[in-house]
Amino acid sequence: MPSNIVSSSHLVSDTSAELSEFEFGLIVVNNAFNRWMVRCMTAAGVKDLAALDVSLLHHVNHRERKKKLADICFVLNIEDTHVVSYSLRKLVGMGYVQSEKIGKEVFFSTTDEGRALCLKYREVREQCLMAALADSGHQNKEIGDTAQLLRLLSGLYEQASRAAASL
């Protein structure tokens, strides 16, 4: 039997050693992606943002629509609203995001400066990441298939999380 590359051999299941290998890959890619977002943003001109801050800035900027905290957390699958709220306040304080109270709800949107920063990030992303992707030989279909698998597995992990919470 071939040896799977895993981070925690005691978790490898006879049912699916591949899932343990996938989980290790997910840990490694998550850390690499977070590091990439921070470094890309630094190259775009802002060095004081954490990976979550970068993710939130881009999501708030997405489709140029105002967004509520609960919707932001829901779409990004973040359970801890306090962490997101803190990050949004940080982005507001830096001038990249603005908040507006409409009725009882607070909505967030990017400022002109925030939109410009997102575009600068895109330029760095095109130069560094997309160029590397083009050179790697990977096909966009493979990436799309992997994205679908990640969404499927996200649902399985959510279901398992609910089951574990009820134990």
Side-chain angles (χ1 to χ4, degrees), residues 1-6 8-9 11-24:
M1 172 183 228
S3 177
N4 297 86
I5 300 171
V6 299
S8 304
S9 60
L11 297 179
V12 176
S13 171
D14 292 337
T15 304
S16 178
E18 293 81 5
L19 186 60
S20 293
E21 190 169 18
F22 171 81
E23 289 171 343
F24 179 56

Side-chain angles (χ1 to χ4, degrees), residues 5 11 21 24-25 27 32 35 43 45 57-58 61 73 87 115 164:
I5 300 171
L11 297 179
E21 190 169 18
F24 179 56
I27 291 166
R35 185 171 44 255
L57 175 62
H58 287 298
N61 191 57
C73 292
S87 182
R115 285 187 292 280

